[in-house]
Every structure is written in C-alpha cells, then in structure tokens.
Amino acid sequence: MKPEIKQIKVRKILDSRGDFSFECEIHGDSFLGRTSAPSGASVGKFEAVSYPGSVDASIKFAKSNVIPKLIGVDVREQKKIDSLLREADGTDNFSNFGGNAAIAVSIACAKASANLQGKQLFEILGKGRWFPLPLSKIIGGGKHAVNSCDIQEFLVFPSNAKNLYPALQANVSVHKKIKEKLKKRGVTLGRDDESGWVVKLKSEEALEMLSEACREASSETGLKVDIGLDLAASSLFENDKYVYNVDERKLDRGEQIDFVLELIKKFKLSYVEDGVHEDDFEGFAELTAKAGKCLICGDDLFVTNKSRLETGVKMHACNSLIIKPNQIGTLTQVAETVNYAKENGYACIASHRSGETCDSSISHVAVAFDCKMLKTNVVGGERNAKFNEIVRIGESIGKWL
C-alpha cells in the first residue's frame, strides 16, 4: 500500500451556528481522512487567526499554496506535514491560511494515516487509553447567549466516575433538572450556542439553582457531581474593570480575584476557567495559590500554545489548561503543548468550540493525550457526537462502559 498523498479536497460546510466551516479530505490509493474545523465565538487574542477574512479565502490559499506542497508526501509523516503547513502559511499565527483550516488539514492527514494503518485516530496520536470525564455546560451566558447571565458557562462534571455511561447520565440529569426548575419559575426556555440553558439570573442565583440540581443528581446516581465555572473574564474586562451588568458589579483586579475565591468557597467549586483577564499571568498565579484544590484553568491565557504555557509554569499560573487544537493550528504543536503540560503537572482539558460540526476528532485527542476531562455538552447533536465517539472508543478498547 502506497502511503503518498494523491489528492486533497477542500470545501466549506455549515457548522452548528449556520456559519461556514472548512472541511478537508486527504486521499491516497488505499486511504481516506476527513476533518472539519470548529470555530469559537469567545476567542482569545493570542489564538491563531481563525480564517484570513473568510473560509473562501482559506480554500483559495489551500489550493494555491498548501495542496501543492502536500501532494506526494508520505501521509504517515505527521511532523513533516505540519511543518509544511507552517511553511506554506509563512506566519507564526496562521494569518495567511487560518488556524481552523490548518488544523482541519493536519487532523485529516492523521486520520488518513490511521486509516492506512488499519487503526483509529487515537491509536496513532498517543498512549492514553482511559476516558475523559465529561465537563458539560448547564447554564450559558456571556458571549454565547443574549439576555443571560454575566458568567459565560456554569458547568458540571462527575468527579468520581469510574465508568462512562453513569458519568454521562449524571450530567444529563443535571441538565434536565435545571430545565424543570426554570419551567417552574415560568421563564421562557432557550439554549445557547453550546446547548446551555439561557436565563437572566445573577451569578449566585444561578449557582444556587445548579447546586440544588447537583445534589439531587448526586443522590440519584451515587456520583459526586461537582460544579465549575468558565468566567471568560476577558470578555467582562472594560476600562480596567470587570463589568457584571446583571450582578451590578464593577470590580478591579483584586476585587475580581476575591469574588472568584468567594464563589469557590461558598459553592464548593472544583473548576474555574479564565477567572481573570488573558494578559494577567500574575492574577492567575494569585488565584491558583489561594484556590486550594480547585482546578484553575487557562484557556484564553494559554491558547494551547507551548510558549505561553512556559510563561505560566514559571509564574505558577494555573494548574490546568484547555486544549483546543484550532487555537494553535497543527497536531504536532498540540502534542508539544500537552507533553509540556504533563511534565509540569498541569491537567489537560480537551474542549469543543461554540461553533461545532459533527466531527469527533477532539474525542480521539482527549483519549490519546490522556486528558482529565472533555469539555462539551451532553445535549445537541454536534455536542453529544463527541461523547458518542468516546463510547465507541471505549467499546473498541473494552473498558469504561
């Protein structure tokens, strides 16, 4: 079987928000790999550029600059392929090709390589063979919703789950319980981009409701259902203040850190993501030092970028990080970041984006790189497609279920 790439097809398809996304197919004599890219709404300023203006521009660039470089390359040589992608783009943030387009090509090549070898994607990416805990949004706000809470994501995860099906059921249970509690309040029900419930509540009101639902779900399932937050604090930051319109708060840096610590203590939070602004390594370090056993996670702070993580490690900022492959553009760079994180004791949380397709590559990334959690929802077809793939992976390994 010849391993050379013979044909590359690129096209645009619709994502979960009705926006166009970049899809790539890699063909050889006896293999095929296909991947479509997600896209974020709450985007960190240090991320790779999503697209150079449009998906159409990425497609045009691929046809003229990328595809000619990859035709004839051994599809098994992932590092070479990813190096050629960066060479074709010619910038350090994929501003010519687009990070979304680049990661679609990178992962499609990896899938094609796996297909050639008669393996699944996770088997050629890494040695992880255990399931990531499901980290799911229950209530949504911020940039993902309108007329909603200030905080972007109110999350849950079953922290002591040993099997996948009960873990998924626990999160589903909380999601359904919040629906019933909101119905009893007589509010109009809606869901945001990531299938979290949209309701205009003050932060502590939402947390009180979520705490009650988690207690009920824990009692029913026997699992410990913990609460987390993604504050997406950079989106709250205006003129050196953190502005909470619903909560009617304007907080300076010290007050923001105190507020987050108060929420951790009062609601026994086990996970806090992006609690301060994406430029504030010192603030993240202070929060990490004072938050006890709570996971303090950097998303916009690190953007799956090893060099930014190196700064975080030196400053003791965070103890975990979000892994979003399209933030950096190639699987090789994702692997470098994950490996460095593990070497320094950081937990990795693989994550969806707000604009998703039914592509489930992130599930294979989460398993292969032994991520502690996979952040996506348990409702919404493009969301639970990821967990359904985790089920299939577990079935093939013979564990988890």
Side-chain angles (χ1 to χ4, degrees):
M1 294 185 291
K2 295 181 179 179
E4 290 82 14
I5 296 171
K6 292 295 182 67
Q7 183 183 29
I8 300 176
K9 297 180 181 180
V10 292
R11 64 178 68 90
K12 58 182 181 181
I13 64 170
L14 289 171
D15 71 10
S16 58
R17 287 197 296 247
D19 296 327
F20 282 112
S21 173
F22 184 100
E23 184 172 78
C24 177
E25 283 184 11
I26 304 294
H27 294 260
D29 285 343
S30 57
F31 58 82
L32 166 67
R34 180 192 299 121
T35 301
S36 53
S39 189
S42 178
V43 178
K45 69 180 182 180
F46 300 106
E47 292 189 29
V49 174
S50 297
Y51 296 109
S54 68
V55 178
D56 287 327
S58 288
I59 290 173
K60 182 179 179 181
F61 188 89
K63 290 178 177 178
S64 61
N65 297 82
V66 176
I67 293 174
K69 282 183 176 290
L70 296 183
I71 296 297
V73 174
D74 187 330
V75 75
R76 298 168 299 181
E77 295 186 28
Q78 189 69 42
K79 288 185 178 180
K80 179 178 180 179
I81 289 166
D82 290 343
S83 177
L84 288 170
L85 286 173
R86 296 197 64 81
E87 179 184 304
D89 178 85
T91 70
D92 61 1
N93 65 348
F94 281 108
S95 58
N96 288 322
F97 185 29
N100 289 6
I103 197 64
V105 176
S106 180
I107 295 177
C109 287
K111 283 185 174 181
S113 176
N115 184 229
L116 173 67
Q117 298 173 63
K119 297 181 178 181
Q120 295 190 64
L121 178 60
F122 76 91
E123 294 178 282
I124 70 165
L125 289 184
K127 297 181 179 180
R129 296 295 183 267
W130 194 245
F131 76 93
L133 293 173
L135 177 63
S136 300
K137 180 196 288 191
I138 307 299
I139 299 171
K143 284 192 173 182
H144 293 166
V146 296
N147 197 32
S148 60
C149 303
D150 292 312
I151 291 175
Q152 187 162 284
E153 299 182 10
F154 296 79
L155 304 152
V156 300
F157 67 99
S159 58
N160 63 341
K162 303 299 181 186
N163 299 95
L164 181 59
Y165 281 142
L168 295 175
Q169 186 57 51
N171 286 13
V172 170
S173 177
V174 177
H175 198 277
K176 291 181 176 180
K177 288 179 185 300
I178 290 297
K179 177 182 179 179
E180 294 306 312
K181 292 178 187 300
L182 291 174
K183 284 171 67 176
K184 287 180 181 179
R185 288 184 174 223
V187 302
T188 301
L189 291 176
R191 298 201 311 218
D192 70 1
D193 288 345
E194 298 173 353
S195 291
W197 295 112
V198 175
V199 59
K200 194 173 184 178
L201 294 175
K202 291 189 175 184
S203 300
E204 294 202 22
E205 284 184 285
L207 282 166
E208 286 165 1
M209 182 185 295
L210 189 57
S211 295
E212 183 180 22
C214 286
R215 287 193 296 270
E216 292 169 1
S218 293
S219 178
E220 292 173 5
T221 64
L223 295 177
K224 185 175 182 291
V225 184
D226 287 2
I227 298 175
L229 294 176
D230 176 2
L231 285 90
S234 294
S235 65
L236 299 170
F237 200 62
E238 300 176 17
N239 300 318
D240 295 325
K241 295 283 187 179
Y242 294 91
V243 179
Y244 294 78
N245 291 316
V246 180
D247 286 359
E248 299 178 319
R249 296 172 182 259
K250 286 188 178 182
L251 308 178
D252 63 23
R253 180 173 179 266
E255 291 168 334
Q256 171 71 4
I257 292 171
D258 288 342
F259 176 55
V260 175
L261 291 171
E262 287 170 12
L263 294 180
I264 291 172
K265 182 178 180 179
K266 183 173 182 178
F267 296 99
K268 299 180 174 61
L269 304 183
S270 296
Y271 175 90
V272 171
E273 180 182 331
D274 283 353
V276 292
H277 190 268
E278 62 199 336
D279 285 314
D280 192 0
F281 280 96
E282 294 87 353
F284 272 100
E286 182 178 346
L287 191 56
T288 305
K290 294 179 177 178
K293 295 181 179 180
C294 181
L295 281 176
I296 302 300
C297 185
D299 176 15
D300 294 342
L301 181 71
F302 296 131
V303 294
T304 319
N305 186 307
K306 183 186 174 186
S307 64
R308 289 190 63 80
L309 180 58
E310 287 172 345
T311 301
V313 168
K314 289 176 184 176
M315 299 183 68
H316 305 287
C318 300
N319 48 31
S320 56
L321 76 159
I322 289 287
I323 299 297
K324 294 176 179 174
N326 73 321
Q327 288 181 326
I328 195 66
T330 70
L331 276 176
T332 298
Q333 290 166 286
V334 171
E336 289 171 352
T337 301
V338 169
N339 291 336
Y340 184 76
K342 289 183 177 182
E343 289 169 6
N344 288 278
Y346 280 58
C348 294
I349 291 90
S351 177
H352 64 171
R353 301 304 301 254
S354 55
E356 270 292 344
T357 71
C358 289
D359 188 280
S360 56
S361 303
I362 193 65
S363 307
H364 290 261
V365 168
V367 172
F369 294 146
D370 197 25
C371 292
K372 182 179 179 66
M373 293 189 276
L374 172 57
K375 183 185 179 187
T376 191
N377 220 327
V378 284
V379 293
E382 76 283 354
R383 308 293 156 184
N384 54 32
K386 279 62 171 170
F387 286 128
N388 290 342
E389 186 69 2
I390 295 288
V391 170
R392 298 181 192 103
I393 293 171
E395 191 175 70
S396 70
I397 293 175
K399 298 179 179 179
W400 311 346
L401 305 181

